Amino acid sequence: MKPFILHQEDFMPWSAGVRKEWVLTNGIGGYAGSSVTGAHSRHHHGYLIASFHPPVERYVLLSKINESITVRNETFDLTAEQYQTPEGTTAYTEGIRYLTSFCYDGTVHFRYDAGDISMTKNLAFVHGKNTIAIGYEITNRGEQAVLQLTPLFNYRVHSDGGHADTMDFTASANRNEITLSPASNTNVQLRLYTGGGTISSSPVLYVRNTQLQKELDVEADALNDSFTPYQISYEIPAHSTLRISVIGTIEEEYPLDAFAVMDAEMARFAGLEQQAGYQDDLAVTLTIAADHFLAYRQSTGLTTVLAGLPWFTDWGRDTMIALTGLALSTGRYREAQEILTTFAQYVRNGLVPNMFPDEGSAPLYNTADASMWYFYSVDKYLSYTGGSSDYDFVKETIYPRLKEIIDAYAHGTDFSIYMEEDGLIHAGSGLDQVTWMDVRVGDWVATPRHGKPVEINALWYNALKVMEELATRFGDDSSHYREMAERTKDSFCRKFWNEEDGCLYDVVDGDIGDPTLRPNQIYAVSLPHRMLNAEREKQVVDKVYDKLYAGTGLRSLSPDDPEYHPTYEGCLDKRDHAYHQGTSWGFLLGGFITAYVHVYGNSPDILKKANAMLDPVREHLWQGCIGSVAEIFDGDAPHTSRGCYAQAWSVGEILRAYTEDILWNQEGTE
């Protein structure tokens, strides 16, 4: 992957630099992340956020390590942090002035220059372990100096703040290792290997009132405290170079060489790039970004997909939409098979789980589209693999679940999901929100879409056609599925077309269509099996492009609508009002690109235009979470990224559309 290198001008002013973030993951739900300045800006920031029950039960353990360098009587404090003063005002440490560059290449590198000393701080995970490696490379061009590290510890759920009055640890240190155990969970032992140096008691037991800008932005509790029982000092001889390895872990065994860990991760990334087979910068970057979301689930022993970083776990809808890009476009077919198997095990009453909660309790099933997207993912899996063993796998493991889903939708299942006499699927009633536009606060439903949502029925038709093909392949009677599909198509084309606006209704309830202009109709054009004629498909694409395309995604509501919210900001209540009422969504860009190329063709000129539509994404890779794509963006320019800083279906769908609809077609026209 081509490295993302930011320089000091990219960190300034403070308000800009602190909003640019990075993330590393360990493949089991654990992660590390912060801003590119080194200052934490949200509760979900830390160097070792471990997953106790992969991929859930995530706790901040090692918050960060602060550094200072002393030469004679002059100390260079490299700490970058925002904090609240005793008077209640906001203040900043000045370490950012020594930070000369930040680099993300799959691992993370901070370069500092202070006096005659240059230091690079490198971070990488041991893949598959709750172990973070921090390696320091130091060049001293002057006289003897001392490097002092101050590790900040915590024990808290990753979404919560830490407060000194609730911190109770047993702490000890020997020559090369600091050990901490929280009183509230003595089964956890955090080890910090120091690689030498002199460990001494810290003059301050707590770092208090760190102020987190991202939490301030959403009007949440923005203060955090950390436990700092020890400091570690290292002598830096005059005119010398040296390396120092620091390892934070909860594992019983761990490596002692941080740089070997980094080399192993870089080799793993090189293997992922080779497996995917792309030379293009955007495709390679998104291939590495995709790796962040593929995680081991302990309960099944198989791969699953984390819907978004830093807070989402595995969601059925998000997984099935993202799977093609994350696992198939990247050549990770084994992981794709495991993901399909994982969700097959949890089908209940014809429903694929909506989500697996973070605390590891029973999955929730309140979704109408996850099961429909499951058919799409299975079909895509076979189109990428297509060997006899792949069909055997689907026939044995997946096909019975697909028949169960079709039967449940046809005869009715939970959450008012059932097929009406016209062959279309009804979904939701009362307070149940079962489409992806699912915000509900108490008894208030932000976007009630009860009835027959357009994307559910586009997906239903696609599922019936997939089922018809599989039944034929496996020697079953396919006529039932074919007849259902024909009835669905006839009803859809008659009832969903909005002649006045030249596009599709968003929801049909009975025979009444909701003309609210939303992006959901794009799937009637982008899915493999479609119902509209070519003229109407083009009208849909043109309407969506004209009113909803927003560079990094599609708006969830037309700006012409009086309910349109141009920005997604403020407290949760304000954000919930905007979430599906104008906010732009990155994942929708994938379906739009596919639909655009489908209706306009794959001539070099059209592919050039489609490729240019992704230029805002290329720019975003430098602005939000470096090298990844956020969940959502403001509907209005400059389309500031919001929500999860890295989202599985945003990365997956953009990668899928870019490779399938642009790169592959470009190769075909050369």
Side-chain angles (χ1 to χ4, degrees), residues 436-437 449 454-455 506 518-524 548 588:
W436 75 275
M437 293 184 164
R449 303 181 68 231
V454 63
E455 80 280 11
D506 187 56
R518 297 189 183 278
N520 304 300
Q521 61 188 292
I522 202 65
Y523 291 111
L548 302 180
L588 295 168

Side-chain angles (χ1 to χ4, degrees), residues 10 50 64 111 212 232 304 372 452 459 543 552 631 651:
D10 301 308
K64 66 183 301 189
R111 165 67 182 255
L212 308 171
I232 313 109
T304 190
M372 297 294 95
K452 294 175 278 196
L459 286 161
K543 179 70 73 171
T552 47
E631 174 192 11
V651 170

Side-chain angles (χ1 to χ4, degrees), residues 76-211:
F76 302 94
D77 187 353
L78 309 185
T79 303
E81 210 65 271
Q82 182 172 323
Y83 62 95
Q84 181 175 286
T85 68
E87 295 75 30
T89 60
T90 296
Y92 309 90
T93 58
E94 297 186 6
I96 193 173
R97 63 178 174 161
Y98 304 114
L99 178 63
T100 53
S101 70
F102 167 89
C103 174
Y104 171 75
D105 59 4
T107 59
V108 165
H109 315 273
F110 296 89
R111 165 67 182 255
Y112 299 90
D113 286 286
D116 292 323
I117 294 178
S118 298
M119 183 181 80
T120 302
K121 176 183 183 179
N122 311 278
L123 292 95
F125 264 113
V126 176
H127 193 69
K129 301 290 183 181
N130 288 304
T131 300
I132 188 72
I134 306 105
Y136 295 90
E137 298 176 279
I138 304 167
T139 298
N140 184 2
R141 296 177 297 276
E143 57 189 295
Q144 180 173 321
V146 174
L147 169 67
Q148 182 173 277
L149 306 184
T150 304
L152 279 61
F153 300 105
N154 233 303
Y155 179 77
R156 57 179 176 83
V157 175
H158 66 147
S159 57
D160 294 345
H163 302 285
D165 57 1
T166 64
M167 293 181 184
D168 186 5
F169 294 91
T170 299
S172 61
N174 58 34
R175 193 171 72 87
N176 286 318
E177 187 180 78
I178 296 170
T179 305
L180 284 87
S181 183
S184 58
N185 187 355
T186 56
N187 291 323
V188 173
Q189 272 207 333
L190 172 63
R191 297 177 175 88
L192 188 74
Y193 172 75
T194 64
T198 301
I199 302 173
S200 59
S201 296
S202 173
V204 178
L205 196 57
Y206 302 101
V207 171
R208 299 177 184 265
N209 293 331
T210 299
Q211 194 178 66

Side-chain angles (χ1 to χ4, degrees), residues 519 522-523 548-554 584-596 610 613-617 629 633 649-650 653-654 656-658 661:
I522 202 65
Y523 291 111
L548 302 180
Y549 171 73
T552 47
L554 298 185
S584 172
W585 290 73
F587 85 94
L588 295 168
L589 195 57
F592 175 73
I593 294 293
T594 297
Y596 181 85
M613 292 179 191
L614 294 174
D615 284 346
V617 174
V629 185
F633 305 82
W649 61 5
S650 297
E653 267 296 270
I654 291 170
R656 178 203 60 77
Y658 182 54
D661 302 310

Side-chain angles (χ1 to χ4, degrees), residues 393-556:
F393 156 71
V394 169
K395 183 178 182 180
E396 179 180 346
T397 305
I398 308 298
Y399 187 56
R401 302 285 78 76
L402 300 183
K403 291 196 289 186
E404 177 185 338
I405 292 168
I406 294 293
D407 186 67
Y409 274 59
H411 296 95
T413 184
D414 303 333
F415 305 105
S416 302
I417 299 169
Y418 56 87
M419 183 179 70
E420 294 192 344
E421 291 184 3
D422 57 8
L424 299 173
I425 295 297
H426 177 283
S429 62
L431 297 178
D432 291 331
Q433 290 282 76
V434 294
T435 73
W436 75 275
M437 293 184 164
D438 56 3
V439 168
R440 171 184 157 189
V441 182
D443 292 338
W444 174 71
V445 173
T447 51
R449 303 181 68 231
H450 302 141
K452 294 175 278 196
V454 63
E455 80 280 11
I456 301 300
N457 283 282
L459 286 161
W460 171 241
Y461 177 78
N462 186 73
L464 291 171
K465 297 301 288 184
V466 169
M467 204 60 186
E468 178 187 348
E469 293 173 353
L470 290 177
T472 301
R473 171 92 185 198
F474 297 147
D476 286 350
D477 182 8
S478 62
S479 61
H480 175 58
Y481 304 115
R482 181 173 61 255
E483 292 166 2
M484 292 173 70
E486 289 172 354
R487 181 158 46 124
T488 298
K489 179 178 180 178
D490 178 68
S491 297
F492 186 92
C493 291
R494 283 189 295 106
K495 295 187 176 184
F496 271 94
W497 187 250
N498 178 355
E499 188 66 40
E500 181 178 351
D501 294 334
C503 61
L504 293 169
Y505 291 118
D506 187 56
V507 179
V508 171
D509 192 4
D511 291 321
I512 300 173
D514 176 6
T516 304
L517 181 56
R518 297 189 183 278
N520 304 300
Q521 61 188 292
I522 202 65
Y523 291 111
V525 187
S526 68
L527 289 169
H529 298 283
R530 300 172 293 272
M531 296 173 279
L532 300 176
N533 62 38
E535 179 184 355
R536 287 184 172 181
E537 286 184 335
K538 185 174 181 297
Q539 286 181 270
V540 167
V541 170
D542 288 347
K543 179 70 73 171
V544 169
Y545 180 66
D546 182 45
K547 294 297 183 181
L548 302 180
Y549 171 73
T552 47
L554 298 185
R555 297 182 183 95
S556 48

